[in-house]
Amino acid sequence: MSFFADNLIFPALTLAFLGWLVPRLLTRFFPEGLRPLLMLAFCATVIMFLLGIGFFLMLYRAQGIPFATIFEPGLAVGLYHFMRLALISALLWAPVMILSVAGLPKNWTKEVW
């Protein structure tokens, strides 16, 4: 796990893959149509943000940093740090997610795009 956490390429590829996968998985829960597609994109963005926070927490733990050290300055400061990292990671996953969402209507059978 340390090799995964110490390199940049594997976490970046993981986030990009999740950016593609999350909208595809959400299509099972949303009907076809433009408004549901926009709602799906919003939900996928929120899920990816939360996954980003969890992902960076996992990377910190994989490098051997205990939770007590991460949140030593306070819970709010620690959460703010990981929220910032999750927002920055959107540079990796957001373009892939946008392309993934844009490709969803080609599989529609009931609605016409």
Side-chain angles (χ1 to χ4, degrees), residues 17 20 24-25 28-29 36 41 46 56 66-67 71 86 88 106:
F17 176 72
W20 174 84
R24 301 291 169 153
L25 292 176
R28 298 173 188 215
F29 304 104
V46 170
F56 283 105
F67 282 121
F71 293 106
I88 292 169
K106 72 178 179 183

Side-chain angles (χ1 to χ4, degrees), residues 5-51:
D6 292 340
N7 291 309
L8 177 65
I9 191 73
F10 295 117
L13 287 174
T14 302
L15 286 170
F17 176 72
L18 286 173
W20 174 84
L21 183 65
V22 167
R24 301 291 169 153
L25 292 176
L26 287 177
T27 58
R28 298 173 188 215
F29 304 104
F30 285 86
E32 296 175 1
L34 181 58
R35 287 187 185 189
L37 183 68
L38 294 175
M39 192 61 177
L40 180 144
F42 174 76
C43 289
T45 303
V46 170
I47 290 170
M48 283 302 300
F49 177 73
L50 295 174
L51 284 174

Side-chain angles (χ1 to χ4, degrees), residues 51-79:
L51 284 174
I53 291 172
F55 185 76
F56 283 105
L57 271 169
M58 182 208 57
L59 286 179
Y60 273 58
R61 288 294 300 137
Q63 291 178 348
I65 302 171
F67 282 121
T69 305
I70 293 171
F71 293 106
E72 185 176 355
L75 182 62
V77 174
L79 283 176

Side-chain angles (χ1 to χ4, degrees), residues 15 45 49 56 84-96:
L15 286 170
T45 303
F49 177 73
F56 283 105
R84 246 186 60 220
L85 289 175
L87 283 176
I88 292 169
S89 73
L91 292 170
L92 296 169
W93 57 259
V96 177

